[in-house]
C-alpha cells in the first residue's frame, strides 16, 4: 500500500492531503513532505480523510511532526481522522497531543451549506 | 536547529560487513540483550551458555513460514552471547525467534532442540495472542513471536510518583476484570484503555496506588479444563503463567491487534500518575509457562535450560512454585535477567513498584535451599534504577518456605502480611483468644517488623487469591466446583463466617449483619498501621459466589459489576470516608511502631489500650472487645477505635481527654446509614462525653478534638 500526498496552500496556511496507509514503509516520505511545510512557519492542516490505516510507526511520524512544529511555533491540526484511527490514537495517547478538526472537505461543505 | 535535528548522523557501524542468507549484516552489540533498532537495521543479541550454534529466524508479520533463517557467524559470538545487526529490515513488520542447537541430555540439564523456534527472553513485544480469547492456530510451529519495538514513548514530564510508602492505599485489581463487565460502559471493555476511563472512579474512591495482577504476556488459552456445569472453556484468567517477561500482554490492549499494547499501557500509567495514583505490578519470577518435562518449550528451556531452571541431580524440575518448574533466581545470569526486566519496567514504563509472587523462591539457592543472604534480593534492594520503587514480597512459596516477618529486607522490602489477614479475619468472626494478637497486628505488627517499621507490613484482608470481602461474610466454605477440580483447589483455611446462611439470602437480619461485618473489616483495615490494601470491588460488595480461586473464571464471577456502585452505594460511601479519614490522621500512618511513650502536649501515650473500662483492656481468651486510642505528635487529634466482635452490646467508658478536647463520633458500624459514618472533620460531638454504647459486632471510631466550629462561633 502506498501513500500519496498533495499540498494545497491558501491564505491561512497549508493543507496536506494524505491518501493511503501511514506505516513504517510510507512514513518516511510523509515526513519528508511535512517537515519543509513546518519550516515555512505557517499553520499546517493534515487531512487524513482518505487515510485508511495508521500504524505505530505512522503515529510516531505524526508525533515527530508535532514536536518539530512545536519547536518552530507552528500550529498543526489533524483533520478527517477516521473512527478507527481516532480510536487507536485515543487508546494509545497520541490523540492527546494533537488538535483535531472535522475533515477539511466536510467542513468546507458544511460552510457552503450554511452560506446557502 | 530544526535542520540539525533531522539530519542523519553517519556512523561506522551503520554499514554492513558480512552477508548471511542474502541479508547484509555485521556483528551486533552484545548489550543490551534483545532486538534493538540501530542505524540502518536491527541488532539482535541473545545469550546461551551451551548452544553450539544459534540461528535468527525472521518472519514477515503474521506469515506461517519464515522469510529468513540467519545463522550467527562464529565471529559474531562474544563469550556466550550471539549478536548480529541485520540491515534493511522493516522493524515494524517482522517477527523473529531463535533456533539454538546444542546437546539434548536432560540428565545434565540440557534440552537443546534446533527444530524449535524460541521466543527471545528480552522481547519487548509478543505477537500470537493479540486479542484476548481468540482461539489460536495451534498448527503453527512458532506460537509466541518476538517483535521489535521502539522505546520512544513521549512521557512529557511524567516520572514515578514517589509517594511515601506509609501513605499508600493500595487497590489490587485485574486489568481485564475491572472493566470487562458490560455494565462498565467504557469504550474498550477489559483493556488498559478501559481502565484508563475509570481513573475518575479510582480518584474519587481515594486510593493512590493500583496493584495490577500480572500484565506480562501470558497465554489465557493454556488452561485445558472446562466448566463441568456449563461445558464452557476455562481460561488462565489471572495470568500467573508468564510467557514473556518484558512484553505487556497484547490481549489487555484495545490496540493489541496493531501491536500497540506498549503505548496503550504507558498511556494508562501516565494518566494514573497525573491523577496521583501509583502503579505496582504483580510480577511472577518464581516460575514460567514452560512447566515441567511435559510442558511446552517456549524460550528458556531451549536456550539454556540448565541456567534458567532449578534442576534435581537427575535433571528433573524442582517445583517450589506448585506449577511445575522453579526459576533459578539466584544464578548470576538469571538474577541479572530479573534485574534487567525490572529496570525495563521502571525506565520504559515508569512503574512505581512491584509485588513479587511467591517471593520466598527468590531467596532460594541453586539447589533450592534457602539462602541467609540471597544475592538477588540484595541486588534489587540496592539497584540504582530501582532505588525508589516499592518492593513487596509475598513472603512464602509452595515449597513450604514461610518468611512473613523474616524476609531478607535490606531496609527496602515490604511484605504481604498474611498474619494480619488471618488474625483480623479470625477476630471478626468472633473466635476466642485473638484479642492480644489483634492488638499487635493493628499496631503495625512490631513482633514481625520491629527493625523495619510499620510500612514493611502490607495489611490486607482479601486479595485476588481467596474470598472477596462479601464472600468472606457470606460463606463458611469455598464453592469452587466451576473450576473443574472437584472443589479441591483453593485455600481451605479461610477464617470466614457466613453470618447464618450459606450464600445469598433474603433474611434482612443476616444481610444487615453482613454489611456491618464488611464495614467492621474496612474500619479495622484503614485504622491499622501499615499499608492498607483493598481488593477491587470489595468497596461495593463484589461477590464470586463463594469461589475462592477464580484463576480460571473469565466471566461475571470475576468481573467488577459496575451496577453495584449504585446498588451498594452505602458500602462505597463508607469505604471512601474511611480512606479519607486515614489521610486526615497522620498517627495512623506513622512509620514508627508505637511504644506507649507519652505525648507531652496531650499527656496521652502514642497508643493506649482500653476495654469496657477505660485503660483496662481485657486480654483474656474470651474477650472479643478491644479499643485502641492513638495520639500523634504536634496538634494531631486523638483517634479512638473500639472493635467489638462479640454478639452482645457493651457500654464503653471512654478515656478522658485533655486540653478542651471532647469525643466526636466519626463512625459506628452499628448505626443505620447515613449515620454509620461522617465526613472527616465533620464528626458529631457526643452528648454523653464519658460513655458510648457499642452494639453487637460493631466498630466505633471517635476522634478527640476541640470543637472547631463552636470555637469559631464564640465571640
Amino acid at each position: 500500500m502506498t501513500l500519496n500526498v498533495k499540498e494545497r496552500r491558501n491564505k491561512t496556511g497549508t493543507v496536506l492531503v494524505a491518501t493511503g496507509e501511514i506505516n513504517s514503509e510510507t512514513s518516511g516520505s510523509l515526513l519528508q513532505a511535512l517537515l519543509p511545510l513546518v519550516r515555512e512557519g505557517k499553520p499546517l492542516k493534515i487531512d487524513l480523510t482518505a487515510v485508511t490505516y495508521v500504524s505505530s510507526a505512522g503515529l510516531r511520524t505524526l508525533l515527530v511532526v508535532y514536536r518539530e512544529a512545536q519547536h518552530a511555533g507552528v500550529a498543526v491540526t489533524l483533520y478527517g481522522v477516521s473512527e478507527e484511527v481516532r480510536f487507536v490514537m485515543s487508546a494509545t495517547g497520541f490523540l492527546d497531543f494533537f488538535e483535531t478538526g472535522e475533515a477539511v472537505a466536510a467542513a468546507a461543505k458544511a460552510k457552503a451549506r450554511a452560506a446557502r | 536547529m530544526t535542520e540539525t535535528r533531522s539530519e542523519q548522523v553517519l556512523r561506522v557501524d551503520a554499514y554492513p560487513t558480512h552477508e548471511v542468507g542474502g541479508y547484509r549484516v555485521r556483528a551486533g552489540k552484545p548489550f543490551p540483550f534483545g532486538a534493538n533498532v540501530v542505524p540502518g537495521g536491527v541488532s539482535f543479541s541473545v545469550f546461551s551458555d551451551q548452544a553450539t550454534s544459534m540461528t535468527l529466524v525472521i518472519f514477515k508479520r503474521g506469515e506461517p513460514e519464515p522469510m529468513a533463517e540467519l545463522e550467527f557467524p562464529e565471529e559474531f559470538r562474544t563469550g556466550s552471547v550471539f549478536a548480529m545487526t541485520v540491515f534493511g529490515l522493516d522493524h515494524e513488520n517482522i517477527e523473529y525467534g531463535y533456533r539454538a542447537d546444542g546437546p539434548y541430555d536432560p540428565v545434565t540439564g540440557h534440552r537443546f532442540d534446533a527444530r524449535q523456534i524460541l521466543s527471545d527472553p528480552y522481547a519487548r513485544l509478543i505477537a500470537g495472542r493479540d486479542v484476548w480469547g481468540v482461539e489460536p492456530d495451534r498448527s503453527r510451529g512458532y506460537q509466541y513471536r518476538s517483535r521489535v519495538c521502539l522505546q520512544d514513548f513521549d512521557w512529557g514530564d511524567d516520572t514515578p510518583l514517589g509517594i511515601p510508602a506509609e501513605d499508600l492505599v493500595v487497590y489490587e485489581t485485574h486489568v481485564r476484570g475491572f472493566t470487562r463487565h458490560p455494565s462498565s460502559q467504557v469504550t474498550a471493555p477489559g483493556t488498559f484503555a478501559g481502565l484508563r476511563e475509570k481513573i475518575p472512579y479510582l480518584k474519587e474512591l481515594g486510593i493512590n496506588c493500583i496493584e495490577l495482577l500480572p500484565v506480562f504476556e501470558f497465554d489465557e488459552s493454556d488452561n485445558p479444563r472446562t466448566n463441568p456445569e456449563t461445558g464452557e472453556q476455562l481460561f488462565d484468567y489471572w495470568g500467573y503463567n508468564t510467557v514473556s517477561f518484558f512484553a505487556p500482554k497484547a490481549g489487555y490492549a484495545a490496540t493489541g491487534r496493531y501491536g500497540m499494547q506498549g503505548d496503550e499501557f504507558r498511556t494508562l500509567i501516565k494518566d494514573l500518575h497525573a491523577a496521583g495514583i501509583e502503579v505496582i505490578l504483580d510480577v511472577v519470577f518464581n516460575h514460567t509457562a514452560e512447566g515441567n518435562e511435559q510442558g511446552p518449550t517456549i524460550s528458556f528451556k531451549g536456550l539454556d535450560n540448565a541456567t534458567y531452571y532449578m534442576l534435581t541431580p537427575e535433571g528433573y524440575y524442582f517445583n517450589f512454585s506448585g506449577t511445575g518448574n522453579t526459576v533459578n533466581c539466584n544464578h548470576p545470569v538469571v538474577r541479572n535477567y530479573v534485574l534487567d526486566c525490572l529496570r525495563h519496567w521502571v525506565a520504559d514504563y515508569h512503574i512505581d513498584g512491584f509485588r513479587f509472587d511467591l517471593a520466598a523462591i527468590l531467596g532460594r539457592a541453586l539447589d533450592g535451599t534457602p539462602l541467609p543472604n540471597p544475592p538477588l534480593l540484595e541486588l534489587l534492594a540496592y539497584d540504582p534504577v530501582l532505588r525508589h520503587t516499592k518492593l513487596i514480597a509475598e513472603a512464602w512459596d509452595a515449597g513450604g518456605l514461610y518468611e512473613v516477618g523474616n524476609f531478607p529486607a535490606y531496609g527496602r522490602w515490604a511484605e504481604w502480611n498474611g498474619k494480619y489477614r488471618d488474625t483480623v479475619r479470625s477476630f471478626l468472626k468472633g473466635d476466642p483468644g485473638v484479642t492480644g494478637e489483634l492488638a499487635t497486628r493493628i499496631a503495625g505488627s512490631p513482633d514481625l517488623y520491629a527493625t523495619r517499621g510499620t510500612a514493611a507490613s502490607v495489611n490486607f484482608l482479601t486479595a485476588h487469591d481467596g474470598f472477596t470481602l462479601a464472600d468472606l461474610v457470606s460463606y463458611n466454605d469455598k464453592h469452587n466446583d466451576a473450576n473443574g477440580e472437584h472443589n479441591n483447589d483453593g485455600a481451605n483455611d479461610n477464617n470466614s463466617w457466613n453470618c447464618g446462611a450459606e450464600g445469598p439470602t433474603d433474611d434482612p437480619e443476616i444481610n444487615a449483619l453482613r454489611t456491618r461485618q464488611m464495614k467492621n473489616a474496612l474500619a479495622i483495615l484503614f485504622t491499622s498501621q501499615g499499608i492498607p490494601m483493598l481488593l477491587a470491588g470489595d468497596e461495593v460488595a463484589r461477590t464470586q459466589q463463594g469461589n475462592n480461586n477464580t484463576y480460571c473464571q473469565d466471566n461475571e464471577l470475576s468481573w467488577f459489576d459496575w451496577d453495584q456502585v449504585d446498588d451498594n452505594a452505602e458500602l462505597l460511601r463508607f469505604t471512601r470516608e474511611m480512606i479519607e479519614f486515614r489521610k486526615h490522621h497522620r498517627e495512623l500512618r506513622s512509620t514508627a511502631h508505637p511504644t506507649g511513650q507519652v505525648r507531652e502536649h496531650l499527656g496521652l501515650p502514642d497508643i493506649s489500650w482500653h476495654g469496657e473500662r477505660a485503660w483496662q483492656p481485657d486480654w483474656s481468651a474470651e474477650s472479643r472487645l478491644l479499643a485502641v486510642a492513638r495520639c500523634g505528635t504536634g496538634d494531631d487529634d486523638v483517634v479512638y477505635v473500639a472493635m467489638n466482635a462479640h454478639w452482645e452490646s457493651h457500654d464503653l467508658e471512654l478515656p478522658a481527654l485533655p486540653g478542651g478536647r471532647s469525643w466526636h463520633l466519626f463512625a459506628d458500624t452499628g448505626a443505620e446509614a447515613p449515620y454509620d459514618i461522617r465526613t472527616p472533620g465533620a464528626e458529631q460531638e457526643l452528648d454523653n462525653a464519658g460513655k458510648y454504647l457499642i452494639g453487637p459486632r460493631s466498630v466505633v471510631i471517635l476522634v478527640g478534638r476541640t470543637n472547631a466550629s463552636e470555637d469559631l462561633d464564640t465571640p
Side-chain angles (χ1 to χ4, degrees):
Chain A
M1 185 78 192
T2 54
L3 180 77
N4 291 315
V5 290
K6 279 184 189 162
E7 291 170 32
R8 245 187 12 234
R9 289 161 192 274
N10 57 33
K11 283 178 195 164
T12 56
T14 307
V15 181
L16 185 131
V17 182
T19 306
E21 288 187 3
I22 306 176
N23 54 35
S24 54
E25 280 181 48
T26 62
S27 56
S29 61
L30 179 67
L31 191 63
Q32 280 176 6
L34 282 168
L35 286 181
L37 302 180
V38 168
R39 287 168 196 157
E40 285 176 10
K42 292 178 187 164
L44 178 62
K45 293 172 180 175
I46 304 173
D47 188 345
L48 302 174
T49 309
V51 169
T52 51
Y53 173 68
V54 184
S55 78
S56 169
L59 289 177
R60 285 173 158 71
T61 301
L62 292 176
L63 196 54
V64 167
V65 170
Y66 164 77
R67 286 298 185 206
E68 287 283 347
Q70 196 182 33
H71 183 74
V74 172
V76 176
T77 313
L78 301 184
Y79 280 84
V81 182
S82 73
E83 203 171 311
E84 180 68 7
V85 172
R86 181 178 284 272
F87 172 75
V88 172
M89 288 184 73
S90 170
T92 53
F94 283 91
L95 200 59
D96 297 343
F97 290 102
F98 294 99
E99 290 292 321
T100 59
E102 283 183 62
V104 177
K109 275 183 193 168
K111 202 173 171 184
R113 272 201 303 274
R116 285 202 296 270
Chain B
M1 285 303 289
T2 306
E3 286 77 6
T4 310
R5 276 204 314 281
S6 59
E7 274 173 10
Q8 286 283 334
V9 178
L10 298 179
R11 293 174 54 126
V12 173
D13 60 3
Y15 297 92
T17 57
H18 294 56
E19 189 176 307
V20 175
Y23 282 79
R24 294 172 307 142
V25 302
R26 68 177 290 128
K29 298 211 183 330
F31 285 103
F33 291 128
N36 296 286
V37 177
V38 296
V42 180
S43 177
F44 297 88
S45 172
V46 63
F47 158 82
S48 176
D49 196 41
Q50 296 292 321
T52 51
S53 72
M54 186 71 70
T55 300
L56 171 67
V57 186
I58 305 173
F59 295 80
K60 192 167 181 197
R61 194 167 179 210
E63 293 295 316
E65 298 301 324
M67 64 187 235
E69 300 221 9
L70 313 180
E71 186 171 341
F72 287 75
E74 187 54 34
E75 62 268 32
F76 287 10
R77 180 175 180 163
T78 306
S80 291
V81 180
F82 301 81
M84 174 161 59
T85 296
V86 183
F87 292 91
L89 293 177
D90 176 3
H91 67 82
E92 190 173 58
N93 288 306
I94 61 163
E95 296 160 346
Y96 71 98
Y98 295 104
R99 293 187 198 272
D101 207 357
Y104 182 83
D105 182 12
V107 175
T108 56
H110 302 309
R111 291 176 177 271
F112 288 97
D113 178 359
R115 292 170 301 178
Q116 295 269 2
I117 303 173
L118 307 166
S119 284
D120 181 358
Y122 281 81
R124 267 76 165 189
L125 289 179
I126 291 288
R129 297 294 181 270
D130 299 344
V131 178
W132 177 280
V134 171
E135 181 60 28
D137 176 2
R138 294 181 200 280
S139 65
R140 277 191 177 195
Y142 182 34
Q143 293 286 313
Y144 312 110
R145 297 170 168 223
S146 305
R147 289 199 61 208
V148 186
C149 78
L150 295 170
Q151 310 287 305
D152 63 347
F153 188 76
D154 199 326
W155 283 102
D157 56 3
D158 179 78
T159 59
L161 292 183
I163 297 173
E166 63 272 19
D167 292 344
L168 291 180
V169 179
V170 182
Y171 189 74
E172 193 205 33
T173 194
H174 185 280
V175 171
R176 180 171 167 81
F178 196 57
T179 63
R180 178 58 190 81
H181 198 283
S183 61
S184 74
Q185 300 287 310
V186 297
T187 312
T191 66
F192 297 124
L195 178 48
R196 184 167 159 238
E197 288 184 48
K198 290 296 185 186
I199 290 175
Y201 173 83
L202 298 172
K203 209 172 165 183
E204 202 175 337
L205 181 59
I207 61 102
N208 57 14
C209 177
I210 187 165
E211 181 173 314
L212 299 175
L213 263 68
V215 299
F216 298 176
E217 189 64 60
F218 63 91
D219 186 351
E220 67 274 15
S221 69
D222 71 7
N223 187 342
R225 291 194 171 86
T226 53
N227 183 327
E229 291 156 15
T230 64
E232 286 168 333
Q233 183 194 348
L234 294 174
F235 287 89
D236 176 0
Y237 169 72
W238 282 351
Y240 287 85
N241 224 13
T242 308
V243 161
S244 189
F245 289 79
F246 283 65
K249 177 147 186 62
Y252 280 171
T255 58
R257 61 185 182 278
Y258 302 117
M260 294 184 66
Q261 55 269 34
D263 292 306
E264 187 175 322
F265 188 29
R266 289 181 181 102
T267 299
L268 167 65
I269 295 163
K270 189 176 174 182
D271 281 8
L272 282 165
H273 282 174
I277 298 170
E278 292 197 341
V279 182
I280 287 180
L281 299 185
D282 190 340
V283 294
V284 192
F285 289 108
N286 58 78
H287 75 282
T288 75
E290 292 189 305
N292 62 9
E293 299 77 28
Q294 313 298 322
T297 295
I298 296 169
S299 178
F300 302 112
K301 260 188 190 175
L303 279 171
D304 217 333
N305 190 57
T307 294
Y308 288 109
Y309 293 112
M310 285 186 201
L311 301 173
T312 69
E314 299 79 24
Y316 292 105
Y317 293 88
F318 274 120
N319 185 12
F320 299 114
S321 60
T323 54
N325 63 45
T326 308
V327 172
N328 202 6
C329 289
N330 279 299
H331 185 290
V333 167
V334 184
R335 53 188 200 237
N336 279 337
Y337 177 74
V338 174
L339 178 66
D340 288 347
C341 176
L342 297 176
R343 283 176 162 181
H344 162 70
W345 289 103
V346 172
D348 288 339
Y349 282 84
H350 290 195
I351 291 299
D352 301 87
F354 303 94
R355 176 268 187 190
F356 295 77
D357 184 60
L358 301 186
I361 283 176
L362 277 57
R364 288 184 183 267
L366 276 55
D367 63 357
T369 52
L371 288 161
N373 190 26
L376 173 60
L377 300 181
E378 186 182 37
L379 185 69
L380 301 183
Y382 290 99
D383 181 68
V385 175
L386 306 181
R387 192 63 191 139
H388 302 294
T389 59
K390 277 86 180 176
L391 303 176
I392 302 168
E394 186 187 35
W396 54 84
D397 68 24
L401 189 57
Y402 189 82
E403 295 191 306
V404 172
N406 255 335
F407 193 80
Y410 304 99
R412 290 274 281 114
W413 286 79
E415 296 173 10
W416 267 24
N417 188 345
K419 290 186 178 176
Y420 178 92
R421 173 197 60 202
D422 299 342
T423 304
V424 177
R425 283 183 174 199
S426 181
F427 173 80
L428 281 168
K429 80 184 166 85
D431 286 346
V434 187
T435 313
E437 186 166 357
L438 177 73
T440 307
R441 299 290 152 250
I442 63 177
S445 295
D447 59 330
L448 303 175
Y449 308 112
T451 59
R452 296 159 62 182
T454 60
S457 177
V458 175
N459 297 331
F460 67 107
L461 295 171
T462 54
H464 68 276
D465 193 2
F467 279 140
T468 65
L469 185 58
D471 288 356
L472 187 71
V473 298
S474 305
Y475 294 91
N476 287 344
D477 302 302
K478 66 183 182 184
H479 296 266
N480 297 0
D481 290 316
N483 298 350
E485 299 183 49
H486 308 290
N487 207 31
N488 290 320
D489 61 308
N492 294 316
D493 52 339
N494 297 293
N495 289 308
S496 66
W497 175 49
N498 66 18
C499 295
E502 188 75 352
T505 176
D506 294 331
D507 187 321
E509 281 191 27
I510 291 176
N511 285 328
L513 176 56
R514 286 175 177 173
T515 299
R516 202 157 79 238
Q517 286 285 71
M518 287 190 275
K519 290 178 184 173
N520 292 342
L522 294 164
I524 294 174
L525 178 66
F526 289 114
T527 54
S528 293
Q529 280 175 274
I531 301 171
M533 184 178 84
L534 183 71
L535 172 63
D538 278 355
E539 72 275 22
V540 293
R542 186 173 72 85
T543 177
Q544 294 176 170
Q545 295 173 30
N547 191 321
N548 75 351
N549 189 31
T550 56
Y551 74 100
C552 56
Q553 300 294 336
D554 176 36
N555 51 48
E556 298 197 354
L557 215 53
S558 301
W559 301 338
F560 191 118
D561 178 354
W562 289 86
D563 289 336
Q564 292 188 306
V565 170
D566 292 327
D567 295 348
N568 293 314
E570 176 185 336
L571 191 64
L572 177 60
R573 170 176 169 259
F574 189 90
T575 313
R576 276 183 192 148
E577 299 294 8
M578 279 308 313
I579 293 172
E580 189 62 24
F581 184 77
R582 185 175 181 82
K583 289 181 184 166
H584 274 68
H585 293 280
R586 268 184 296 170
E587 56 272 36
L588 299 176
R589 310 193 308 273
S590 163
T591 53
H593 288 108
T595 59
Q597 181 193 1
V598 173
R599 305 289 190 198
E600 283 182 13
H601 66 295
L602 289 175
L604 291 171
D606 59 354
I607 197 162
S608 56
W609 304 101
H610 311 270
E612 275 190 288
R613 302 294 307 275
W615 305 99
Q616 292 180 29
D618 179 359
W619 302 118
S620 69
E622 289 306 311
S623 165
R624 292 178 176 84
L625 171 69
L626 179 67
V628 57
R630 286 196 184 78
C631 177
T633 55
D635 293 328
D636 287 352
D637 299 326
V638 182
V639 173
Y640 171 92
V641 183
M643 297 158 283
N644 181 24
H646 197 209
W647 43 90
E648 304 283 347
S649 313
H650 291 271
D651 228 342
L652 298 171
E653 178 195 37
L654 303 176
L657 287 166
R661 286 172 167 75
S662 58
W663 288 116
H664 293 63
L665 178 64
F666 169 65
D668 180 350
T669 64
E672 294 288 323
Y675 305 107
D676 54 338
I677 198 160
R678 307 290 202 282
T679 298
E683 295 88 353
Q684 173 89 31
E685 188 174 11
L686 295 187
D687 293 336
N688 187 344
K691 289 200 175 302
Y692 194 88
L693 180 70
I694 188 169
R697 297 189 188 274
S698 296
V699 173
V700 168
I701 302 173
L702 307 174
V703 290
R705 60 171 172 81
T706 53
N707 198 331
S709 54
E710 281 180 7
D711 288 344
L712 286 174
D713 290 339
T714 305

